[in-house]
Amino acid sequence: MNAEVEFHIRNNYPWAKLPGNIRQLLGNSQKEYDKCVTNYSIKNQLRYRQNLVKHVRKEERRYYEDLLKYSMEHLMLFPYHLADIIVKGLRVTPFSYYQKMMHNIMSSEKSYDSLPNFTAADCLRLLGIGRNQYIDIMNQCRSSKKFFRRKPIRDLLPPRPVNGIHLEPWWIAQAGYITEDDIRTVSITEKNAIDKIIDVGPQLAGVMDFYILHKLFLKGLAYLDVPIEDDDRIIVPPLEGFVMNRVQGDYFETLLYKIFVSIDEHTTVAELANVLQIDLDLVKNAVSMYCRLGFAKRKEINLELDELHTSWQEAPQFSSKSQPDKIEHQLITWDFPDSDDIISVPLEGDLLDGTSLEDAESTSAVHAKRIAFLFDSTLTAFLMMGNLSPGLKSHAVTMFEVGKLSDESLDSFLGELEKVHIDDVAEGEAQRYFEHAITLKNTISFLRYNKLISPCGDQYLNGLGLDLLRCESLLGLDPATCARVLQKNYEILISMAPLSNEIRPVSSCVPQHIGPAIPEVTSVWFKLYLYHMVKSGPPSLLVVKGTRLRKLPEMFQEYDRLLITTWGHDPGLVATSNALLTINDALSHSAVLIQAHGWLHDGRTKSIPFPLNEDELKEPFSEDQMQSHPTISELASLVDLQHYCGVITLLRTGCRTLEAVSSSPSHTNQTAGESNIEIAPSLIDVGSMSAIKDGGLSLLDLPLTLPENSQLASEWTLLDLSFGIPLFNDALNKDVCRRMAAQSLCGRPNLEELLNSSRRMTLELLKFISEYQDLPVAPEADLNVGPGSNLMNQKPLLPYPTRNLVFIDGRLQEWPTKGP
């Protein structure tokens, strides 16, 4: 449906008041508009009497029946905001709704993953059916079908809600659809409770007998509203009981995720609605759902123990824990080591300035803006896949699904990260998981309440609090909304490095961002821009989509490892022998950057941290002083390496050395009879000697002396540059953090310089892109605006390459279209 049509339906424009251009979009047909009104109202679960649909659909009951049917077919959450109609009028309780939904998907033999995340969580809460229970019921059904008369699925489903259903004393008890037959089956106390709700009106759950209310709820004779007021503040603790299945994308699920990443315990519901510019009632519905599912709680509940019925003090669920442990374990099986086997280590103290969290209480008591550390889904994947610590699971799920881990949750998060020890690493891919956990702990400890990196040292004497934000979750907000959320809550943004090429990083001037200035900075374009400007880089070829290579270009044939980057994805190493098939397959759907990486084995890389100071650039170059490499000096004149933080990656392929040897005068003039040979161990390793001999280059043909620093420097070329704090190496992480503190990187004077230099670099980069591709390149409409939104609403994607480009021998030029 057209967005303009939706706008007019949402604002209750009748056909007579529709603008002419909207009527034309509908073919000047009122029937078509009426159809759109009905579809939109059902899809968005709108109330009949308060919306335009009441003038289109004459039968209210039939409308709600169609709404329920659509919601169930599309596996949407039960419309709790319409419970007064659905439960009292149609006698459909949340339990019966999900029971029928579960019956339908089991009858269709769909997998458990077909349930959207929040719907699956509500099914687990009411039916007690998680992944394992679903599979068990399906197996019972299939086995009975094979050997005996098939057992009906309904007989295998629970007949009533789970006994451990969670209730809160501040919820409101309402009477359901009650018949005379129901009254005959209840006890006297239950009947009295029902009479009180009907005669007096809805009751605060806390003033009723907990056990009586619980029985009425299980029998479907009462239901509960979760009231949210304008001035309520909400806390989102680490998620427990969340089911990670799939995202469906319906209106309410989209709203839930938008509010998840935006909410904090210092912002009222009304303020949140204003920041997001979303209808207040919709925000209240979403927050009410969080509290009902146990994913959030009200910060302040104005109830004293003596105001509650005595049964609530005895109730096992009055401890405010959302679900029994057994329910949480139904989600998925995780094999964690025993807690006794995990060694606890202290936090890295050398990064902190000595300010304890207790000393920071005075700062955090009054809400102040914080630092936002931006990460991508790669980090959460490492924390979830590594089996690093039993308690990390809920925090990692929160970081991924909520999109934020607030400062209030970081104490427990750091406690879990302390249990991860680098000595636990075996080898291989698992090592990356442990390294990222260790460096994340160090980074949080460094950034949190550290006055050395506070933008306003006088205002924040104890430093700032820290929130962790997932970039992909911010993409779910439209740019203007994201900008408002960031400006309201954060003083400065700092990215992890490197961010994945698969996302669009945040672009923000207020608050300022220490990270990629614009999304193009994390793309292939930035690599080529740097190579072109500093005239240093490995042989590289950017091939446009649809090209087909008949053979591997000659520039790559002498290498054994190639670095392949498909457009919008992270690079990967490929053996040259298998590269052609891989490249052609990728070219069918994407542009591809091909780069030389290693000769005989993977290329050797060296990471240089920055910010750098001028003294480091003036030191004599050696392998121990890579900051003095001529390429770094050239790069420093192009990119601001003093007011940014990040990592420069240099590459040594190993092939250039032999080229220099074979063309040197000493190689030409030497004879085989000369025996006083000194071989540079940095040039030749034992594993490659035989290959060199087989290639026609004798060991006796090597130069007599070690290469000079100038020749050694020529062996290293620029590979990449990433802005932000690196998490992939512990030593590198500490070095960058130390440099940030020493050079007051987050101080106001530095941030002003950073803003100017990032704007200059942005304009130069966009100008470079416009020169090397044929489509117009428009700069970001407003550098003060945050990231792009989701795929439907985001700004245009990165400029797509339209020419084949090659970088070799320090020159970037167009590659002939009639290439191999």
Side-chain angles (χ1 to χ4, degrees):
M1 189 183 301
N2 185 279
E4 293 183 0
V5 175
E6 287 189 354
F7 171 81
H8 287 85
I9 295 174
R10 187 165 55 247
N11 289 277
N12 293 325
Y13 277 73
W15 173 259
K17 294 185 178 180
L18 278 184
N21 62 323
I22 303 300
R23 292 192 181 195
Q24 289 181 355
L25 288 174
L26 298 167
N28 290 312
S29 171
Q30 184 174 354
K31 288 185 177 180
E32 184 64 26
Y33 185 58
D34 292 347
K35 181 180 177 181
C36 290
V37 170
T38 301
N39 292 340
Y40 179 84
S41 302
I42 290 176
K43 181 180 177 181
N44 290 273
Q45 298 178 331
L46 298 184
R47 187 175 289 272
Y48 180 84
R49 296 186 181 180
Q50 299 175 0
N51 292 281
L52 191 60
V53 68
K54 70 179 179 180
H55 302 294
V56 176
R57 295 287 296 267
K58 302 305 179 185
E59 297 182 20
E60 182 177 359
R61 182 183 182 88
R62 181 64 182 274
Y63 166 75
Y64 282 116
E65 289 174 347
D66 290 345
L67 185 152
L68 269 184
K69 180 181 178 182
Y70 177 91
S71 299
M72 191 174 297
E73 289 176 351
H74 290 79
L75 308 179
M76 297 172 66
L77 282 163
F78 179 83
Y80 287 99
H81 60 289
L82 303 175
D84 58 323
I85 303 296
I86 304 299
V87 177
K88 292 183 178 180
L90 302 182
R91 204 179 189 185
V92 177
T93 65
F95 173 79
S96 62
Y97 173 84
Y98 288 123
Q99 187 187 50
K100 186 175 180 180
M101 179 188 294
M102 196 66 70
H103 179 272
N104 292 341
I105 64 174
M106 286 183 172
S107 299
S108 303
E109 297 193 353
K110 295 181 180 179
S111 71
Y112 182 73
D113 292 330
S114 63
L115 282 173
N117 294 342
F118 287 100
T119 303
D122 210 15
C123 286
L124 176 64
R125 182 181 71 93
L126 290 171
L127 277 64
I129 297 179
R131 186 180 304 276
N132 295 337
Q133 289 72 28
Y134 185 91
I135 294 173
D136 183 55
I137 293 173
M138 291 298 294
N139 288 339
Q140 290 183 48
C141 183
R142 289 166 182 158
S143 62
S144 64
K145 179 181 178 182
K146 183 179 294 185
F147 297 107
F148 310 100
R149 180 174 172 269
R150 180 169 183 173
K151 195 171 183 179
I153 294 176
R154 189 172 297 278
D155 293 348
L156 299 174
L157 294 173
R160 56 190 295 174
V162 295
N163 287 325
I165 195 72
H166 179 66
L167 306 177
E168 286 283 352
W170 55 275
W171 294 0
I172 303 296
Q174 300 267 14
Y177 188 108
I178 302 172
T179 65
E180 293 183 1
D181 293 336
D182 295 326
I183 296 296
R184 296 190 188 101
T185 62
V186 300
S187 66
I188 296 298
T189 54
E190 291 171 354
K191 180 178 181 299
N192 292 337
I194 293 174
D195 289 341
K196 185 176 182 179
I197 296 176
I198 294 176
D199 296 339
V200 179
Q203 297 292 303
L204 191 69
V207 303
M208 298 182 65
D209 187 298
F210 172 82
Y211 298 101
I212 297 300
L213 178 60
H214 189 262
K215 289 178 182 178
L216 293 177
F217 179 82
L218 295 182
K219 292 179 180 180
L221 302 180
Y223 69 93
L224 290 134
D225 283 335
V226 181
I228 300 296
E229 304 300 332
D230 293 6
D231 58 351
D232 282 343
R233 289 177 169 83
I234 306 300
I235 298 173
V236 180
L239 293 183
E240 298 287 349
F242 195 89
V243 183
M244 297 180 68
N245 276 359
R246 71 180 180 94
V247 176
Q248 175 164 281
D250 64 71
Y251 89 100
F252 197 56
E253 182 185 65
T254 303
L255 177 65
L256 287 170
Y257 277 112
K258 282 184 178 181
I259 295 176
F260 247 161
V261 74
S262 309
I263 201 168
D264 66 80
E265 64 179 76
H266 303 288
T267 302
T268 66
V269 172
E271 290 171 346
L272 179 64
N274 183 53
V275 169
L276 297 177
Q277 292 190 357
I278 296 175
D279 182 74
L280 178 59
D281 289 334
L282 283 177
V283 175
K284 287 182 178 180
N285 291 342
V287 173
S288 175
M289 180 62 72
Y290 294 146
C291 295
R292 188 184 297 273
L293 295 177
F295 299 155
K297 56 185 179 181
R298 284 170 58 181
K299 185 176 181 180
E300 298 175 356
I301 301 176
N302 298 320
L303 287 175
E304 300 294 338
L305 286 177
D306 55 4
E307 299 179 20
L308 303 179
H309 193 279
T310 55
S311 60
W312 282 88
Q313 301 179 30
E314 303 167 1
Q317 291 182 321
F318 192 55
S319 61
S320 78
K321 292 187 177 179
S322 59
Q323 288 286 0
D325 291 340
K326 64 178 183 179
I327 294 293
E328 190 260 332
H329 287 303
Q330 290 171 357
L331 305 184
I332 189 168
T333 302
W334 299 78
D335 297 324
F336 291 112
D338 294 335
S339 58
D340 295 339
D341 298 332
I342 301 175
I343 301 174
S344 179
V345 295
L347 288 173
E348 298 290 339
D350 56 331
L351 295 179
L352 296 172
D353 63 347
T355 302
S356 65
L357 296 184
E358 288 78 7
D359 295 334
E361 287 182 356
S362 59
T363 301
S364 59
V366 179
H367 175 50
K369 291 186 177 182
R370 297 175 175 176
I371 298 172
F373 183 68
L374 307 179
F375 64 92
D376 59 33
S377 296
T378 306
L379 178 61
T380 58
F382 289 163
L383 295 178
M384 284 191 279
M385 293 191 300
N387 288 352
L388 305 176
S389 166
L392 273 182
K393 181 185 74 170
S394 63
H395 290 93
V397 170
T398 304
M399 291 169 67
F400 183 81
E401 293 293 347
V402 176
K404 177 168 71 173
L405 199 62
S406 63
D407 186 80
E408 290 78 13
S409 300
L410 289 186
D411 285 333
S412 60
F413 185 47
L414 286 172
E416 294 299 330
L417 290 174
E418 286 179 17
K419 300 176 183 178
V420 181
H421 196 274
I422 199 68
D423 292 341
D424 293 336
V425 177
E427 58 183 13
E429 188 69 16
Q431 183 177 2
R432 298 178 64 194
Y433 307 152
F434 283 85
E435 286 181 345
H436 278 75
I438 294 293
T439 54
L440 178 61
K441 178 194 70 174
N442 294 339
T443 303
I444 293 173
S445 301
F446 169 71
L447 295 176
R448 193 178 182 216
Y449 297 116
N450 185 349
K451 63 184 179 183
L452 296 179
I453 60 165
S454 174
C456 300
D458 297 335
Q459 183 178 356
Y460 306 112
L461 297 178
N462 295 319
L464 297 172
L466 178 70
D467 286 352
L468 309 184
L469 297 181
R470 188 171 75 101
C471 289
E472 292 91 333
S473 297
L474 292 174
L475 299 182
L477 305 174
D478 64 84
T481 300
C482 182
R484 289 192 298 271
V485 170
L486 295 177
Q487 290 174 22
K488 178 183 182 297
N489 295 318
Y490 301 107
E491 192 72 39
I492 190 171
L493 314 178
I494 302 176
S495 288
M496 65 172 274
L499 287 170
S500 172
N501 291 344
E502 300 181 10
I503 65 169
R504 286 177 62 88
V506 170
S507 300
S508 175
C509 289
V510 181
Q512 282 189 245
H513 179 206
I514 300 180
I518 56 174
E520 285 78 0
V521 172
T522 60
S523 71
V524 166
W525 287 117
F526 190 59
K527 270 189 174 184
L528 295 179
Y529 167 71
L530 294 179
Y531 298 165
H532 172 65
M533 298 302 292
V534 302
K535 302 189 182 337
S536 174
S540 305
L541 177 63
L542 178 61
V543 188
V544 300
K545 174 183 174 181
T547 306
R548 186 167 183 83
L549 303 180
R550 293 195 299 270
K551 65 177 183 178
L552 200 65
E554 291 184 4
M555 71 178 81
F556 301 122
Q557 291 184 359
E558 59 188 346
Y559 294 92
D560 289 86
R561 297 288 187 275
L562 300 179
L563 191 65
I564 307 298
T565 306
T566 55
W567 196 258
H569 294 81
D570 295 327
L573 279 176
V574 178
T576 304
S577 56
N578 302 325
L580 187 60
L581 183 62
T582 303
I583 293 169
N584 279 328
D585 182 57
L587 284 172
S588 64
H589 59 80
S590 171
V592 176
L593 177 68
I594 312 166
Q595 295 182 280
H597 194 273
W599 182 80
L600 298 178
H601 47 71
D602 293 351
R604 182 183 170 194
T605 58
K606 197 86 169 181
S607 297
I608 297 95
F610 62 92
L612 298 172
N613 56 52
E614 295 181 0
D615 293 338
E616 289 180 296
L617 298 174
K618 296 176 181 178
E619 294 177 359
F621 169 75
S622 68
E623 286 214 27
D624 295 331
Q625 295 291 337
M626 294 297 287
Q627 292 90 344
S628 304
H629 192 284
T631 297
I632 304 297
S633 301
E634 186 70 24
L635 190 62
S637 64
L638 176 69
V639 179
D640 188 349
L641 300 181
Q642 296 184 22
H643 303 101
Y644 262 117
C645 72
V647 178
I648 303 165
T649 305
L650 298 183
L651 171 68
R652 184 179 183 181
T653 64
C655 188
R656 184 167 180 172
T657 299
L658 293 179
E659 291 173 353
V661 168
S662 61
S663 60
S664 66
S666 59
H667 168 70
T668 306
N669 299 330
Q670 268 182 246
T671 64
E674 294 176 312
S675 58
N676 54 341
I677 305 290
E678 182 180 1
I679 300 174
S682 62
L683 300 183
I684 304 298
D685 57 39
V686 176
S688 61
M689 286 183 180
S690 58
I692 297 172
K693 182 69 176 177
D694 294 340
L697 181 62
S698 170
L699 292 177
L700 299 180
D701 292 336
L702 295 175
L704 300 179
T705 58
L706 286 169
E708 299 294 334
N709 281 345
S710 59
Q711 184 176 343
L712 178 62
S714 67
E715 298 167 8
W716 293 92
T717 61
L718 178 65
L719 179 62
D720 203 359
L721 186 150
S722 300
F723 294 105
I725 299 180
L727 297 184
F728 58 87
N729 182 278
D730 186 35
L732 199 62
N733 173 271
K734 291 180 180 179
D735 197 356
V736 170
C737 291
R738 178 185 59 80
R739 292 168 180 271
M740 289 179 66
Q743 301 192 29
S744 301
L745 202 68
C746 298
R748 287 298 180 199
N750 183 85
L751 293 178
E752 291 176 3
E753 291 292 335
L754 175 64
L755 180 61
N756 294 329
S757 60
S758 63
R759 282 175 170 166
R760 287 194 298 269
M761 183 183 69
T762 295
L763 294 175
E764 290 295 327
L765 176 58
L766 295 177
K767 179 182 178 182
F768 166 81
I769 296 174
S770 66
E771 292 175 354
Y772 283 93
Q773 64 104 39
D774 299 323
L775 299 176
V777 179
E780 298 289 335
D782 184 359
L783 291 178
N784 291 316
V785 170
S789 59
N790 56 28
L791 292 178
M792 293 184 292
N793 301 320
Q794 71 179 12
K795 297 176 184 178
L797 298 176
L798 295 173
Y800 209 77
T802 58
R803 308 178 197 171
N804 296 322
L805 301 175
V806 60
F807 178 84
I808 192 169
D809 296 330
R811 293 174 53 199
L812 180 67
Q813 56 191 346
E814 189 169 350
W815 194 55
T817 54
K818 296 182 179 180

